[in-house]
Amino acid sequence: MVSERLGGRLDGRRAIVTGAASGIGAAVVARLKADGAQVVTADVHGDVDYVADLTGETANAELVALALDRMGGLDTLVPCAGISAFQPLEGHEDAYFRRVLEVNLIAVFRLVRDAAPLLKAHGAGRIVTIGSTTSSFGDEGLCAYAASKHAVLGFTKSVAAELGPFGVTANCVQPGAIDTPMTAPAFTQMPEYRTFWEGKAPLRRLGQPQDIADVVAFLCSDDARFMSGHGVWVDGGAMVRH
Ligand SMILES: NC(=O)c1ccc[n+]([C@@H]2O[C@H](COP(=O)([O-])OP(=O)(O)OC[C@H]3O[C@@H](n4cnc5c(N)ncnc54)[C@H](O)[C@@H]3O)[C@@H](O)[C@H]2O)c1
């Protein structure tokens, strides 16, 4: 449910959201639009404005050009595209490790780099990256994923430092366990994993994509104008006991 009180909060904003066909990205698109933003969406599949594997060398530049053409400007980036799978350290293949870094880190870097001139020109640009609780902690079977998400948090902080003088804020939302197509196989195959995360969160449930989208919309809004360079936990309180 989208609160009517907040309708129009993002009027005039022009955003790119990646990973928009599914889970958190799809919820972010719905939320930003409900708040009045124009959004250009991207994903490797699905009913989006730009269908491409965003690890392609020129894909993010093309996406920025499309956004500029469609909306006449660009001030907000929410790169949500990401991949994850459990892979024990031993037997972990180079190609898989590299792929996780390409999708979760390098594609985010390229999007931010290629859009930076437009965000600076706007004067109040917003970048909201999607990290994870594994941007701050590790877990078994998640070496590649946690490495990529630690890196996204560090990248976001550095972008905040570099683009802050141009009025651009950059923050990294760190979701806990969210019920999406990404996590569905693990929660289905290992019900005890689902129970673990439900029990770990003081709020006693998994997160829903909307829980993340609402915080992303806040960080994209003028309400968050003096907030930059932070990792923002949205985890039902799960990490309070870490
Ligand atoms: N679900 C969780 O518990 C959770 C927790 C912390 C962080 N996250 C992060 O949130 C983000 C969204 O995850 P989600 O749970 O909604 O997953 P999801 O699988 O539902 O959505 C991810 C989307 O990214 C797209 N994508 C993947 N690789 C791509 C590529 N190379 N080019 C273009 N698009 C690509 C997929 O097609 C998919 O639509 C990810 O960055 C993920 O790491 C998720």
Side-chain angles (χ1 to χ4, degrees):
M1 284 291 290
V2 174
S3 160
E4 274 185 33
R5 186 178 67 80
L6 298 174
R9 179 166 71 165
L10 298 177
D11 278 348
R13 285 267 164 193
R14 294 172 286 196
I16 286 176
V17 178
T18 73
S22 177
I24 292 169
V28 167
V29 172
R31 176 72 217 212
L32 297 194
K33 285 186 173 175
D35 280 354
Q38 278 180 272
V39 185
V40 162
T41 56
D43 204 296
V44 72
H45 67 85
D47 184 17
V48 293
D49 299 310
Y50 182 71
V51 179
D53 179 342
L54 292 167
T55 64
E57 211 158 310
T58 58
N60 288 284
E62 283 169 21
L63 173 58
V64 169
L66 175 72
L68 190 56
D69 185 50
R70 288 260 178 103
M71 303 188 291
L74 179 65
D75 50 70
T76 302
L77 303 177
V78 189
C80 294
I83 54 171
S84 171
F86 287 95
Q87 286 266 340
L89 175 63
E90 291 173 58
H92 209 119
E93 289 171 7
D94 287 6
Y96 173 77
F97 200 96
R98 220 176 259 130
R99 179 70 187 159
V100 171
L101 292 180
E102 283 278 341
V103 178
N104 293 0
L105 176 64
I106 307 294
V108 174
F109 146 68
R110 287 188 182 137
L111 178 64
V112 172
R113 178 195 61 192
D114 296 343
L118 296 171
L119 269 60
K120 284 164 67 177
H122 179 269
R126 294 280 184 273
I127 300 165
V128 182
T129 59
I130 309 296
S132 160
T133 48
T134 61
S135 294
S136 302
F137 300 105
D139 211 345
E140 289 165 56
L142 290 179
C143 343
Y145 186 73
S148 73
K149 293 298 185 180
H150 268 70
V152 162
L153 177 59
F155 170 72
T156 307
K157 290 181 177 183
S158 297
V159 167
E162 196 163 328
L163 300 188
F166 302 92
V168 179
T169 68
N171 292 289
C172 178
V173 168
Q174 294 183 248
I178 312 299
D179 197 6
T180 71
M182 177 184 278
T183 48
F187 289 143
T188 305
Q189 287 157 26
M190 299 180 284
E192 68 283 5
Y193 186 59
R194 182 185 184 109
T195 309
F196 168 78
W197 276 104
E198 286 171 344
K200 188 170 168 59
L203 292 175
R204 292 290 188 270
R205 66 174 176 86
L206 296 180
Q208 293 300 317
Q210 190 69 52
D211 295 321
I212 306 304
D214 289 351
V215 176
V216 169
F218 160 68
L219 291 169
C220 291
S221 78
D222 193 48
D223 292 343
R225 61 194 166 275
F226 201 54
M227 194 172 166
S228 194
H230 291 286
V232 180
W233 302 91
V234 189
D235 63 349
M239 289 302 146
V240 87
R241 295 203 187 94
H242 212 83

